[in-house]
Amino acid sequence: MNDTTNAAPGGAGSDVANGAARDWTPDELMTVNAARALQGSRTCFVGIGLPSAAANLARRTSQPDLVLIYESGTLGSKPTRLPLSIGDGELADTADAVVSVPEIFNYWLQAGRIDVGFLGAAQVDRYANINTTVIDRGPDRPEGRLPGAGGAPEIAASCRKVLMVLRHSRRNFVEKLDFVTTVGHGSGPGDRARLGLLGQGPVAVITDLGVLRPDPETAELVLTEIHPGVAVDQVVEATGWKLRVADAVGVTEPPTQAELAALRALKSGGDPRA
Amino acid sequence: MAEIRSLRDAVAELIHDGDTVAMEGFTHLIPFAAAHEIIRQGITDLTLVRMTPDVIYDQLIGMGVARRLVFSWGGNPGVGSLHRFRDAVENGWPRPLELDEHSHAGMANRYVAGASRLPFAVLRGYRGSDLPERSSTIATVTCPFTGEELAAVAAVNPDVTVIHAQRADREGNVQLWGLVGVQKEAALAADRVLVTVEEIVEKLEPTPDAVVLPSWAVTAVAHVPDGAHPSYAAGYSVRDNEFYQAWDPISRDREAFLAWMREHVLEAS
């Protein structure tokens, strides 16, 4: 993961070495790497937005057997285009089974049957805890309202592991959350066990700049990989706490033409196999 | 037994000022037409319950119909914020809105308890979250068998639940399929149940995975084709994603919102 020799055909990769413009966007880099992070997982509880794009891309590229599970009650959805909502009809029409919302949360999620939960977030802290509820805008202004918890607290609690995907900025990666909606690693090692959370919690946070992973000793997020063309300082600068950097930071593989074609086809509503 | 009524009569008879009303449908089968009828009739001071407030409650909240909202995820799915919901919570416009906020798992279980006529439900939930600090309907309970501490959530028992379904027969038996969400639980949790349907048929044909609500569990059925738009009814329509995207600029601006509601709801019928 630390060179550019496997770069895509078509010239995109050759631009990486000299830093010239390349033919993918930061969001595409993020989504492609988020999709790759699903390798080895069989079942994925999918949040809407970036996680859904990544999970669908994984199913269209390296993980054709990935079982996509949506909180609207679908097991094994196989959409051909990216759904706008978690309740688009295609998710149900292409599913192996459609169940009620109480069933999806109680029998499938809470029972610990699902390998990986894939979440987005508005605010993340150094222990990969998540705020999607309210933003403190200072003493003279009312709290800024975010959508709220949705499925996230129990997805992060009960899936065997958790992946997160969000854009990297000081606004999103904060020293202290204004509100803890969803627990990642709490306040450090041992907290998940103390709280009785079943799964191992967040194992990677994939952003448009690189990948952060929790330190096995401290549970604090550490920068382990940067994307091609991104500098370590840039990631440190975009993080609201003093970000720890791994001794040897890797560079992620550039997106392949196949990955980019599949992602663009999903986004444009077409079938990449067509 | 359910009576077949006009939407106007059914809403007038079943829904009153100050009621707790759940209008369910998890993205699919959202009863928009019934919400618009509530607005037209000027019914107010409602406690609105819904897992995902969606555009339907953005409209009700923006029109000042609600004093309290019980929910678990308040965004415009795939688009962004619900601006009328945010304006009410942040700025009290057009009136302040009290919140009782949950996770999806918690809300789903509150309906299960309500349908079961139990006082509360248990789940492994909310652990380490700040959500319980802001809600009086989340507590903990110790399992009498294992000693494990579990989350307890209070039952939801609406005065009225309103849902949209694909079909009913002339006796008022109701059939819905596709994403069935939490509608069965929400209906069985309520004192009164109003169902709007795409179609009234002579005989309900069995459909794979369909939920059937027997007539004796329903109060009133109203024939309202396309009554879920811009949500949808599987087999009859598709989700109008363009409308959900168009709602963002309409709902950002108070005047634009009011003008839209005047033209499409208040002056429609």
Side-chain angles (χ1 to χ4, degrees), chain A residues 71 84-89 98 100-101 105-106 110 133 137 142-145 147 150-151 154 179-181 183 195-196, chain B residues 26-27 72-74 77-78 86 90 99 101 103-104 109 123-130 134 178-179 181 232 239 241:
Chain A
E71 65 194 15
L84 181 68
S85 76
I86 41 78
D88 282 25
V98 179
S100 74
V101 167
F105 281 102
N106 287 348
Q110 180 174 258
T133 303
R137 298 187 295 187
E143 285 180 330
R145 185 62 231 192
E154 287 76 26
F179 186 95
V180 177
T181 311
V183 175
L195 289 166
Chain B
F26 204 92
T27 308
S72 45
W73 191 82
R86 282 188 60 179
E90 294 176 5
L99 298 181
E101 182 164 4
S103 67
H104 278 347
N109 279 290
L123 69 153
R124 287 199 183 93
Y126 301 101
R127 287 171 169 175
S129 171
D130 290 341
R134 295 200 179 193
L179 297 173
Y232 69 105
R239 190 172 189 266
N241 284 334

Side-chain angles (χ1 to χ4, degrees), chain B residues 4 36 48 54 65 74 101 109 119 124 140-141 182 186 205 225 257:
Chain B
I4 312 280
H36 293 171
L48 293 176
D54 202 276
V65 162
E101 182 164 4
N109 279 290
R124 287 199 183 93
T140 57
V141 64
V182 75
E205 298 296 334
F257 163 74

Side-chain angles (χ1 to χ4, degrees), chain B residues 14-21 44-48 159-160 192:
Chain B
L14 268 59
I15 306 176
H16 312 121
D17 288 355
D19 276 354
T20 295
V21 181
T44 191
D45 292 335
L46 299 177
T47 291
L48 293 176
D159 296 308
V160 193
R192 305 184 289 281

Side-chain angles (χ1 to χ4, degrees), chain A residues 1-9 13-14 16-17 228 251-254:
Chain A
M1 60 168 68
N2 55 2
D3 64 30
T4 60
T5 54
N6 289 342
S14 62
V16 172
V251 179
T252 62
E253 296 285 351

Side-chain angles (χ1 to χ4, degrees), chain A residues 48-49 52 56 70 79 81-88 90-91, chain B residues 241:
Chain A
I48 202 60
S52 181
N56 276 286
Y70 285 84
R81 59 187 167 76
L82 277 186
L84 181 68
S85 76
I86 41 78
D88 282 25
E90 198 184 4
L91 296 175
Chain B
N241 284 334

